Amino acid sequence: MNKALELVCPAGTPASLHAAVDNGADAVYLGFRDETNARNFPGLNFSRKELQEGLDFAHARGCEVFLAVNTFPEAGNPGPWRKAVDDAAALGVDCVILADIGLLDYAASHHPDLRRHLSVQASASNPDAINFYVDAFDVKRVVLPRVLSVPEIKALNGQINVETEVFVFGGLCVMAEGRCQLSSYATGESPNINGVCSPASHVRYEDEGDRMVSKLGDFTINAFDENEAAGYPTLCKGRFRAGGQASYLFEEPTSLNAASMLSELAAAGVTALKIEGRQRGRAYVAQVVAAFRRAADAVHAGEAVGDLGLQAITEGQAKTSGAYNKSWR
Amino acid sequence: MSAKLTLGPVLFNWKPETWRDFYFRIADETDVDTVYVGEVVCSKRAPFYAPHIPDVIERLQAAGKEVIVSTLALIMNTREMNELRETAGDRDLMIEANDVSACALLAGRPHAIGPYVNIYNEGTLKYFTGRGATRVCLPVELGRDAMTALVKDTPAELEVQVFGRLPLAISARCYHARAHMLHKDNCQFVCDQDPDGLEVETLDQEAFLAVNGVQTMSHSYQNLSAELAEMQSLGINHFRLSPHSTDMVAVAGLYRQVLNRALSADEADAKLAGLTNDAAFSNGYYHGAKGVDFVLPGMD
């Protein structure tokens, strides 16, 4: 392997951006503080001024900054999304991460020199879809949906001529990204339109004495005994009844950790590793980025990736390598 | 333009003979203008009923129906990619794309785009109509405001699902197999046990979702009978009924009567309730509410 895996790290706040840069990120990704990005949570994201400061800080340290504009613009109201792309170009971000075809078209025609990456929210899972985005909008990198196994990623990379980036740590969508309406069905707010999934504004915990019930909208997502910790009611990580059996029907409350598969991902032709977690604090970001920096460097040096020592921050959380390992399906 | 009723693709894993006979009856008895045929959800199902597809298409066309071939929503491997390329290579067929890869393969000739392609705004709609899309069935979470903006100045015919469980998500993982503690690669096609999907309740026994293999659907049945007139006034003229195991001839008849002003939406709903095992109706997305909601006329 002659090129090191690039590490693309989350920055929900300026403090997290500093933490990511200082701990070895090759690039940080972030969004503006509005519905134009898929982590539109209260207290997160960047103003134009904060982005300018973040760019100065990162660029001075050799780190790139990617701006996610990866929700789908509202019909009849393209303004905020186009302005986000315009401002990205004016401020000098290193690339925009886009999902919507109309917005890709706008960016390619109005800002041809602004590098474009395809967001995971575009759910481009096969060569013909990816080649379309490359041919039509000259995207330089595709963030692959978390539906593919490592052999499938390898086969895919053999049929496309564009960089690929894969998620390796953090939240795990079990549905194809950008193609899930479960959140809006229960709450009226969706990743595609509002940039949120299972939003906190619609979450309630009800203490019923012998059990704690977590609800999203009007629906019970899980219930916990007194000796169980009540987790956040992300819809697809809830416990439901089907065929008379209660179970984590879609997925356990688990998150992604593909640290053990980095060598295979590199051999499959992947260019960059993405860490999820723009909603995380700077201590978490610092620790995860530092751990994956060591891991990526080890892979580059042909050494084994040791234990990343991330147990402390993921305590109580089950981990999975997700679809990268085909048996997950 | 007068309103057209369309019948979406069968989304469930029905026995091949059931699948064939369903379409024969649609051809012979049902007042719909367009019928979509083809596998959208799981590529492993298609080989079972594929031998019947030519007969079904022929019978539907002979009955005067427009036939459109629907294609897979999530394409993840070489086999699925090659099958899509083969379908798209048949230039005699009108094809519905359900993935961007299919849009790319169909560019330059008239084609339809289904609700699994994210066309949320006029920029994206214009891009695809410029490449030959003539019919677009909108994503399920778009409501009246988006429809109003999209229908303006587009050459495409816009279509909206007005009946049936809503397709809410698609995954690499098969939840039918998982519910039966099976692996996807050895699923034993257990999804054929649930002709309208496997019902999913909350731990508090509240109806919530329905699992259909790799697809997750609403438990409620979308029902936009009361919104048909308003959608027509906006300029939406294609209304999709998504097939269920109930009497779809009767369902289509009720929607046709509402379109013809021969029946009120209330009267239609009362009859539809008897045809849907009393599953709740929903119309929330149309009204900008939660998808699960059923908003009464004039209450939004």
Side-chain angles (χ1 to χ4, degrees):
Chain A
M1 246 144 283
N2 37 24
K3 226 175 157 207
L5 288 164
E6 186 183 315
L7 210 52
V8 182
C9 303
T13 61
S16 291
L17 179 144
H18 289 193
V21 173
D22 288 341
N23 283 281
D26 295 303
V28 295
Y29 67 100
L30 47 78
F32 284 135
R33 193 171 293 139
D34 57 28
E35 73 274 34
T36 61
N37 81 92
R39 286 286 182 281
N40 179 26
F41 301 164
L44 280 194
N45 298 318
F46 286 68
S47 67
R48 267 58 175 178
K49 182 165 175 289
E50 286 164 342
L51 175 55
Q52 182 64 68
E53 290 163 0
L55 277 163
D56 292 344
F57 182 87
H59 284 169
R61 289 156 185 80
C63 179
E64 296 194 311
V65 176
F66 301 167
L67 183 77
V69 190
N70 59 346
T71 49
F72 293 83
E74 184 185 6
N77 182 31
W81 285 264
R82 291 182 175 183
K83 185 159 192 321
V85 171
D86 294 343
D87 290 350
L91 290 166
V93 305
D94 298 285
C95 87
V96 283
I97 307 169
L98 308 177
D100 179 64
I101 283 168
L103 194 62
L104 279 157
D105 193 31
Y106 174 84
S109 54
H110 288 74
H111 303 286
D113 298 333
L114 176 61
R115 184 179 160 100
R116 291 170 292 282
H117 290 184
L118 189 67
S119 170
V120 71
Q121 296 300 115
S123 187
S125 59
N126 58 69
D128 289 21
I130 290 170
N131 287 330
F132 160 76
Y133 288 103
V134 174
D135 295 342
F137 311 117
D138 194 24
V139 302
K140 300 295 189 192
R141 182 182 297 176
V142 174
V143 185
L144 295 179
R146 282 161 278 195
V147 300
L148 300 169
S149 65
V150 172
E152 285 166 353
I153 292 171
K154 186 170 186 175
L156 182 58
N157 273 325
Q159 300 170 71
I160 57 178
N161 190 20
V162 64
E163 296 174 2
T164 53
E165 178 175 312
V166 297
F167 280 91
V168 289
F169 195 83
L172 173 70
C173 279
V174 298
M175 307 300 181
E177 296 92 340
R179 310 177 95 178
C180 179
Q181 274 71 240
L182 291 174
S183 178
S184 63
Y185 183 70
T187 73
E189 299 200 16
S190 78
N192 285 359
I193 295 177
N194 311 95
V196 295
C197 172
S198 308
S201 51
H202 291 71
V203 168
R204 282 199 325 273
Y205 294 91
E206 291 177 359
D207 188 348
E208 297 182 350
D210 57 338
R211 61 171 204 163
M212 179 70 83
V213 175
S214 63
K215 291 199 156 187
L216 183 68
D218 297 327
F219 293 105
T220 294
I221 301 299
N222 211 338
F224 305 91
D225 296 337
E226 286 156 287
N227 52 7
E228 276 181 299
Y232 188 88
T234 302
L235 202 158
C236 61
K237 314 282 171 28
R239 228 174 327 200
F240 303 107
R241 298 184 74 85
Q245 300 261 14
S247 72
Y248 288 104
L249 179 63
F250 303 107
E251 178 60 301
E252 283 83 18
T254 186
S255 63
L256 176 70
N257 185 359
S260 65
M261 307 185 88
L262 299 191
S263 298
E264 290 163 79
L265 288 166
V270 164
T271 298
L273 308 176
K274 185 162 211 160
I275 296 168
E276 187 275 346
R278 286 195 275 145
Q279 69 285 12
R280 300 288 190 167
R282 67 178 166 187
Y284 174 98
V285 169
Q287 199 175 348
V288 175
V289 172
F292 273 87
R293 176 79 274 155
R294 288 195 303 277
D297 290 346
V299 170
H300 186 48
E303 296 163 6
V305 176
D307 178 41
L308 294 189
L310 294 172
Q311 292 82 354
I313 55 167
T314 58
E315 196 179 352
Q317 263 275 35
K319 291 283 164 190
T320 173
S321 54
Y324 297 136
N325 195 336
K326 200 161 176 266
S327 63
W328 177 81
R329 294 174 188 164
Chain B
M1 184 192 181
S2 67
K4 305 281 188 195
L5 267 186
T6 78
L7 186 77
V10 170
L11 298 175
F12 305 103
N13 183 14
W14 292 354
K15 304 264 189 266
E17 297 72 29
T18 307
W19 186 91
R20 178 199 61 197
D21 294 347
F22 170 77
Y23 279 113
F24 281 178
R25 185 163 178 240
I26 293 295
D28 297 347
E29 300 175 36
T30 313
D31 183 11
V32 294
D33 302 284
T34 301
V35 180
Y36 294 83
V37 177
E39 185 57 46
V40 170
V41 175
C42 178
S43 64
K44 289 168 67 178
R45 297 173 179 174
F48 293 102
Y49 63 80
H52 298 307
I53 291 176
D55 290 346
V56 160
I57 291 179
E58 193 184 321
R59 183 108 153 217
L60 287 164
Q61 286 176 333
K65 316 292 188 203
E66 177 191 35
V67 175
I68 300 181
V69 173
S70 290
T71 52
L72 202 62
L74 182 62
I75 292 148
M76 298 191 298
N77 59 47
T78 304
R79 175 178 55 81
E80 291 168 349
M81 189 77 261
N82 287 338
E83 285 167 4
L84 177 68
R85 288 172 182 156
E86 193 181 323
T87 303
D90 187 339
R91 301 191 70 89
D92 295 334
L93 296 174
M94 178 75 168
I95 297 169
E96 179 186 62
N98 283 310
D99 182 68
V100 167
S101 57
C103 298
L105 288 163
L106 297 168
R109 66 193 242 218
H111 62 276
I113 298 181
Y116 305 90
V117 175
N118 283 338
I119 299 182
Y120 275 75
N121 52 65
E122 55 276 30
T124 302
L125 180 59
K126 190 173 176 202
Y127 185 85
F128 282 123
T129 56
R131 291 167 61 99
T134 54
R135 173 93 51 86
V136 173
C137 187
L138 297 176
V140 299
E141 67 178 3
L142 292 186
R144 176 177 50 205
D145 293 349
M147 290 176 200
T148 306
L150 288 173
V151 80
K152 236 187 276 171
D153 301 327
T154 183
E157 298 164 341
L158 299 188
E159 181 166 328
V160 172
Q161 180 181 328
V162 297
F163 175 82
R165 286 188 162 149
L166 291 166
L168 296 177
I170 191 109
S171 176
R173 189 177 236 188
C174 178
Y175 301 109
H176 243 110
R178 189 169 153 87
H180 287 262
M181 304 214 236
L182 294 167
H183 188 266
K184 186 185 180 189
D185 288 344
N186 182 27
C187 66
Q188 300 174 27
F189 299 96
V190 287
C191 53
D192 74 354
Q193 297 171 16
D194 301 293
D196 295 293
L198 171 64
E199 305 207 339
V200 178
E201 293 181 334
T202 68
L203 292 178
D204 294 321
Q205 276 88 48
E206 188 174 5
F208 188 17
L209 301 168
V211 160
N212 173 32
V214 296
Q215 183 174 64
T216 303
M217 311 180 82
S218 63
H219 185 281
S220 67
Y221 282 57
Q222 170 100 315
N223 175 10
L224 298 184
S225 62
E227 289 76 11
L228 290 171
E230 186 176 62
M231 283 190 279
Q232 284 181 275
S233 73
L234 296 177
I236 309 273
N237 285 305
H238 286 73
F239 303 108
R240 175 176 294 205
L241 313 171
S242 191
H244 281 277
S245 63
T246 188
D247 183 353
M248 290 303 293
V249 176
V251 169
L254 291 169
Y255 278 89
R256 180 66 79 190
Q257 287 185 66
V258 176
L259 284 172
N260 291 342
R261 315 278 196 271
L263 190 70
S264 74
D266 280 350
E267 291 167 310
D269 289 359
K271 292 182 173 161
L272 285 168
L275 288 164
T276 54
N277 294 321
D278 292 318
F281 292 139
S282 53
N283 62 9
Y285 280 130
Y286 181 83
H287 295 277
K290 299 168 187 171
V292 64
D293 285 351
F294 190 70
V295 179
L296 295 170
M299 298 297 282
D300 60 334

